[in-house]
């Protein structure tokens, strides 16, 4: 995905940015007590609240209000970048506080800055970047206090074709009808929009709605629904000096719960499955500028969070969600781009009221890849495709792997043994990249299943003195892989502890636990055989356990010169070679808009790529990235 990242750090008494044009650190005039158009940041939040409280204002005040907003945005631009506009932010501007040099208070301040209101005003009439009809910009912030490479879980997000969607939509009926959120009609509208897509994908069970805290906790902790998307809709409030609360439904009565406690439940699930969800907190004051907020609470765990800075107009918040959730789930946009596209076409009264500037997006993921049938893709932005150059398929190889998994997970299994996958190729054929395509196959081709994918380091360099020592080392490797933390100290990696970890990892019915290993060498064959024996014993013990997952072991081998890996009898090795011209042509056809190739030129371009790469997948990938503009 392409985005312009603006890194921000505290440097003594100053706040600095790494300027994207000069690549040097420069001072800004950002500060906690800063004024924008003579208003503090909490005052700006109050200003937007004031706009929202007025259902109608005379025409002669509308222009004044838009002008007032643009002054705030222009001053913010000048505070960060200076008065000269000497770089192109592209379609996505992302602000990242430097974690190593920043306190949580500093990150909290960065999240409260009204970035959405940024206004480009150096060339002609000032224009809100987020609302530019011809070239809108998604504006987001990384709100997590944990450096990306230190976060638990997989933050390269694979969005499956029919993501599991948990709708948390309480329906409290208030005495004052004006306080009712219209959750029932909003839910019906969302279902009408989304259910045809889920039914076409044969996964209607992947939409679930809850109203009470008990139902939410049951879905998360007991039923193991493991949502990819959690959508909260209802009342939010910020009582006192700290924290945000959300109103659940408890037998028709108000049940206010602290967002920190809700986030704790989600964190428990993510610690088990390693898959951080996208969370939309569509409630008042979820990103309040004057205190701790839901935005920060959820960002510690989620891949992306959408929250509202101010009080929320019910009609506007519903329109935003109904359009953006469709864009994310059906059209396969990433969340920041989906929100950008909705704001780009927002009703005029949103701009006049300032409501558009209430939406805050915190993106913590490194890459968002929308999966599914590429021929049916609707999204018109490369951000929806994600890391598309690696999606050059070795059709025969992936077909063999899909067939093997199908035999283990869909057809009645002849054995409770783990499914075993082997692939092998020279480093130039990129077996490590192929591992990502196998991940895609698991998510795309088995929509009714719930995969948990983990990486296990087999300690291939170890040379134990005896078989017992080898078994101990391999059990430790399994324990660390299941813990999703290679650095965790392990004093006891007994079969009992490993089985308990598997039970915690299991997403329940139709769960698939897939463990990925490699790169390995042919000389590691005996190590792999010993490792597989351990898993056979584990699966024998697990077969009678309720909700135990099916297990798949995947091994990637780098083929060394003059040496090949040979699997045991009954196991087949998928050998990775050059991508044939026909598959290159298919790939170029699917993504020809990104490569700027005319349909009439596909045959010529595919043959030329096949010839120029001389069978090297690494070279092919590099050329595709250059052709797509990802490399110079």
């Amino acid at each position: 995905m392409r985005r312009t990242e603006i890194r921000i750090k505290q440097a003594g008494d100053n706040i600095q940015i790494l300027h994207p044009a000069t690549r040097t650190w420069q001072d800004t005039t950002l500060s906690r007590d800063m004024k924008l158009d003579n208003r503090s940041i909490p005052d700006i939040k109050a200003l937007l609240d004031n706009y929202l409280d007025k259902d109608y204002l005379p025409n002669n005040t509308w222009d004044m209000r838009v002008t007032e907003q643009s002054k705030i945005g222009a001053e913010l631009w000048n505070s960060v970048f200076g008065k000269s506009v000497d770089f192109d932010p592209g379609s996505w501007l992302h602000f990242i506080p430097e974690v190593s040099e920043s306190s949580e208070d500093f990150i909290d301040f960065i999240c409260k800055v009204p970035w959405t209101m940024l206004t480009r005003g150096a060339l002609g009439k000032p224009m809100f970047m987020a609302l530019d009809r011809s070239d809108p910009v998604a504006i987001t912030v990384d709100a997590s206090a944990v450096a990306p490479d230190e976060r638990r879980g997989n933050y390269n997000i694979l969005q499956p074709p029919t993501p599991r969607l948990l709708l948390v939509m309480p329906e409290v009926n208030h005495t004052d009808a004006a306080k009712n959120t219209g959750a029932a009609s909003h839910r019906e509208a969302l279902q009408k929009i989304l259910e045809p897509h889920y039914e076409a994908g044969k996964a209607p069970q992947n939409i679930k709605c809850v109203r009470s805290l008990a139902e939410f906790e049951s879905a998360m902790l007991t039923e193991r629904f493991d949502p990819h998307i959690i959508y909260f809709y209802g009342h939010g409030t910020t009582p006192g000096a700290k924290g945000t609360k959300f109103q659940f439904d408890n037998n028709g009565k108000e049940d206010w719960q602290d967002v920190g406690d809700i986030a704790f439940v989600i964190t428990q699930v993510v610690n088990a499955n390693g898959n951080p969800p996208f969370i939309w907190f569509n409630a008042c004051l979820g990103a309040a500028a004057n205190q701790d907020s839901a935005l920060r609470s959820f960002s510690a765990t989620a891949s992306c969070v959408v929250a509202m800075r101010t009080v929320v107009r019910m009609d506007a918040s519903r329109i935003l969600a109904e359009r953006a959730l469709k864009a994310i789930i059906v059209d396969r946009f990433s969340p920041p781009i989906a929100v950008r596209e909705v704001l780009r076409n927002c009703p005029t009264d949103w701009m006049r009221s300032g409501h558009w500037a209430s939406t805050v997006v915190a993106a913590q993921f490194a890459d968002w890849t929308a999966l599914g049938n590429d021929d049916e893709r609707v999204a018109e932005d490369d951000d929806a495709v994600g890391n598309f150059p690696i999606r050059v398929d070795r059709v025969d190889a992936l077909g063999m792997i899909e067939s093997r998994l199908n035999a283990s997970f869909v057809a009645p299994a002849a054995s409770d043994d783990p499914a075993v996958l082997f692939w092998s190729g020279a480093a130039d054929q990129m077996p490590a990249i192929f591992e990502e395509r196998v991940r895609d196959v698991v998510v795309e081709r088995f929509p009714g299943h719930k995969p948990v994918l983990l990486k296990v380091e087999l300690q291939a360099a170890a040379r134990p003195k005896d078989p017992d020592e080898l078994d101990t080392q391999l059990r430790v490797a399994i324990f660390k892989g299941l813990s999703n933390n290679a650095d965790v100290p392990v004093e006891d990696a007994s079969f009992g502890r490993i089985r308990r970890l598997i039970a915690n990892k299991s997403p329940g019915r139709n769960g698939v636990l897939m463990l990925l290993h490699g790169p390995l060498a042919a000389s590691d064959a005996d190590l792999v055989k010993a490792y597989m024996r351990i898993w056979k014993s584990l699966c024998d013990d697990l077969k009678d356990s309720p909700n135990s997952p099916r297990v798949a072991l995947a091994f990637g081998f780098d083929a060394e010169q003059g040496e090949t890996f040979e699997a045991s009898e009954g196991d087949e090795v998928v050998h990775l070679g050059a991508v044939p011209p026909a598959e290159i042509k298919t790939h170029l056809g699917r993504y020809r808009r990104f490569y700027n190739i005319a349909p009439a030129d596909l045959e010529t371009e595919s043959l030329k790529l096949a010839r120029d790469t001389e069978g090297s997948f690494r070279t092919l990938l590099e050329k595709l990235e250059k052709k797509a503009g990802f490399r110079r």
Side-chain angles (χ1 to χ4, degrees):
M1 300 175 72
R2 300 187 226 181
R3 61 187 173 196
T4 301
E5 296 185 345
I6 307 297
R7 295 192 172 269
I8 304 180
K9 70 178 182 181
Q10 186 84 46
D13 294 332
N14 297 325
I15 293 176
Q16 297 182 329
I17 68 158
L18 186 64
H19 198 285
T22 64
R23 303 308 299 170
T24 59
W25 287 99
Q26 67 179 38
D27 288 337
T28 70
T29 57
L30 292 172
S31 68
R32 289 172 174 79
D33 58 354
M34 68 186 298
K35 299 281 188 178
L36 296 170
D37 194 32
N38 206 32
R39 295 179 183 273
S40 69
I41 289 175
D43 283 345
I44 292 170
K45 176 261 174 190
L47 175 70
L48 297 178
D49 281 345
N50 187 52
Y51 288 166
L52 292 168
D53 286 341
K54 293 177 172 58
D55 295 327
Y56 174 79
L57 287 170
N59 284 338
N60 63 350
T61 65
W62 283 351
D63 289 338
M64 181 276 292
R65 294 165 66 197
V66 171
T67 301
E68 191 171 9
Q69 294 176 62
S70 66
K71 282 183 180 179
I72 292 170
E75 287 193 16
L76 179 57
W77 176 277
N78 294 340
S79 296
V80 180
F81 301 112
K83 293 186 178 181
S84 62
V85 183
D86 56 358
F87 79 98
D88 180 6
S91 62
W92 183 354
L93 192 60
H94 185 53
F95 293 90
I96 304 176
E98 287 283 323
V99 174
S100 60
E101 301 181 34
S102 305
S103 66
E104 288 204 25
D105 289 341
F106 173 66
I107 297 172
D108 196 47
F109 162 70
I110 296 301
C111 290
K112 291 172 180 176
V113 173
W115 299 111
T116 315
M117 300 179 78
L118 272 172
T119 304
R120 251 185 312 217
L123 303 175
K125 184 179 179 180
M127 172 57 68
F128 300 114
M129 298 169 67
L131 299 182
D132 191 322
R133 294 279 172 160
S134 61
D135 191 21
V137 180
I139 302 174
T140 60
V141 63
D142 188 331
S144 175
V146 182
D149 56 353
E150 295 176 0
R151 293 175 188 148
R152 293 176 62 85
N154 174 24
Y155 278 74
N156 292 307
I157 301 301
L158 299 177
Q159 179 70 71
T162 51
R164 287 186 294 278
L165 170 64
L166 183 62
L167 302 172
V168 187
M169 306 181 74
E171 297 180 25
V172 178
N173 289 318
H174 296 85
T175 304
D176 181 356
K179 293 183 179 180
N180 293 332
T181 64
S185 59
H186 184 31
R187 185 184 70 251
E188 290 172 3
L190 284 172
Q191 290 173 330
K192 184 177 180 179
I193 293 168
L194 300 175
E195 282 183 349
H197 174 75
Y198 280 85
E199 289 169 357
K202 299 181 180 179
Q205 73 282 359
N206 281 6
I207 302 180
K208 186 177 185 64
C209 186
V210 298
R211 303 176 187 178
S212 68
L213 177 65
E215 290 175 336
F216 171 73
E217 291 180 331
S218 177
M220 298 292 287
L221 302 174
T222 305
E223 301 171 33
R224 304 289 183 91
F225 186 64
D226 284 355
H228 299 97
I229 301 172
I230 307 176
Y231 176 65
F232 293 92
Y233 176 78
H235 284 303
T237 187
T238 53
K242 285 186 175 291
T244 306
K245 290 184 179 293
F246 180 72
Q247 184 188 95
F248 284 94
D249 178 347
N250 185 4
N251 294 320
K253 297 181 180 179
E254 300 177 7
D255 180 19
W256 291 97
Q257 296 290 333
D258 189 87
V259 163
D261 295 334
I262 301 170
F264 178 74
V265 173
I266 298 172
T267 300
Q268 285 183 283
V269 174
V270 174
N271 285 344
N273 66 24
N275 297 312
F278 160 50
I279 297 176
W280 190 323
F281 190 76
N282 199 353
C284 291
L285 306 171
N290 57 345
Q291 59 190 69
D292 292 344
S293 66
L295 182 84
R296 288 280 285 118
S297 297
F298 287 131
S299 292
T301 298
S303 61
C304 186
V305 181
V306 175
M308 316 306 283
R309 188 180 301 280
T310 64
V311 297
V312 179
R313 258 179 52 183
M314 184 176 71
D315 61 336
S317 64
R318 286 181 52 171
I319 291 173
L320 177 64
E322 288 164 14
R323 294 179 181 177
L325 284 175
K326 174 186 178 294
I328 294 164
I329 295 170
V330 180
D331 302 338
R332 306 187 183 106
F333 283 104
S334 62
I337 305 304
V339 172
R340 182 195 72 187
E341 291 303 297
V342 176
L343 290 180
R344 175 190 196 179
N345 297 297
C346 70
T348 304
D349 65 320
W350 287 19
M351 184 171 71
R352 291 166 174 167
S353 70
H355 182 75
W356 65 276
S358 174
T359 306
V360 185
V361 183
Q364 287 76 238
F365 58 88
D367 187 32
W368 184 285
T369 300
L371 304 178
N373 185 342
D374 294 303
D375 296 330
E376 298 176 357
R377 191 178 301 282
V378 179
E380 290 296 327
D381 196 290
D382 59 345
D383 292 306
V385 182
N387 52 353
F388 71 90
I390 76 165
R391 294 176 64 84
V392 184
D393 286 329
R394 268 68 79 87
V395 172
D396 291 342
L398 291 175
M400 292 170 62
I401 285 175
E402 182 181 350
S403 176
R404 187 65 183 264
L405 292 175
N406 190 74
S408 295
F409 301 142
V410 179
S415 168
D416 291 304
D417 291 348
V420 180
L421 309 172
F422 298 106
W423 58 85
S424 178
D428 205 43
Q429 298 303 341
M430 302 286 279
I433 292 292
F434 188 73
E435 180 177 291
E436 293 299 317
R437 293 301 293 122
V438 173
R439 288 172 179 257
D440 292 349
V441 166
V442 175
V443 177
E444 290 180 45
R445 303 304 183 191
F446 300 92
H449 290 69
K450 300 177 182 178
V452 176
L453 300 104
L454 300 171
K455 185 76 173 176
V456 175
E457 176 57 56
L458 281 187
Q459 300 173 321
R463 292 293 178 263
K465 296 178 181 179
D466 55 61
D468 289 341
E469 185 179 338
L470 175 61
D471 279 1
T472 299
Q473 289 181 347
L474 293 177
R475 288 200 307 272
V476 168
I478 292 171
F479 191 95
K480 289 184 174 183
L482 292 172
S483 301
N484 207 19
N485 188 346
D487 298 325
V488 64
V490 181
E491 297 179 357
D492 176 13
S494 62
F495 278 95
R497 290 195 74 197
I498 291 173
R499 284 193 295 270
R500 287 193 291 275
L501 264 180
I502 294 172
N504 289 335
K505 287 286 181 185
S506 175
R509 188 174 56 185
N510 290 334
V512 175
L513 179 61
M514 186 168 188
L515 304 173
L516 301 146
H517 315 81
L520 299 166
S523 57
D524 295 317
D526 289 340
L527 185 79
V528 170
K529 291 174 183 176
Y531 178 81
M532 290 167 57
R533 284 197 296 271
I534 291 176
W535 269 107
K536 187 178 186 306
S537 297
L538 283 168
C539 288
D540 284 342
D541 291 341
L542 289 168
K543 63 185 178 182
D544 296 324
S545 300
N547 290 331
S548 61
R550 300 294 301 174
V551 176
L553 309 177
F555 303 92
F557 287 84
D558 279 332
E560 299 173 354
Q561 187 174 2
E563 194 174 357
T564 59
F565 171 75
E566 294 184 5
S568 303
E569 185 177 354
D571 291 320
E572 189 173 4
V573 180
V574 175
H575 293 282
L576 305 180
V579 180
E583 291 181 19
I584 296 176
K585 181 180 178 181
T586 299
H587 174 81
L588 293 180
R590 285 177 177 171
Y591 302 110
R592 65 179 183 80
R593 182 175 59 82
F594 304 111
Y595 295 124
N596 195 27
I597 298 175
D601 296 334
L602 287 174
E603 183 75 29
T604 302
E605 289 285 343
S606 58
L607 290 172
K608 184 177 185 299
L609 270 174
R611 182 178 64 252
D612 292 348
T613 58
E614 297 182 344
S616 166
F617 186 78
R618 184 193 301 276
T619 306
L620 173 63
L621 181 61
E622 290 173 354
K623 286 185 176 295
L624 289 173
E625 288 179 337
K626 289 179 180 178
K627 190 176 286 291
F630 287 179
R631 290 192 181 195
R632 293 182 179 180

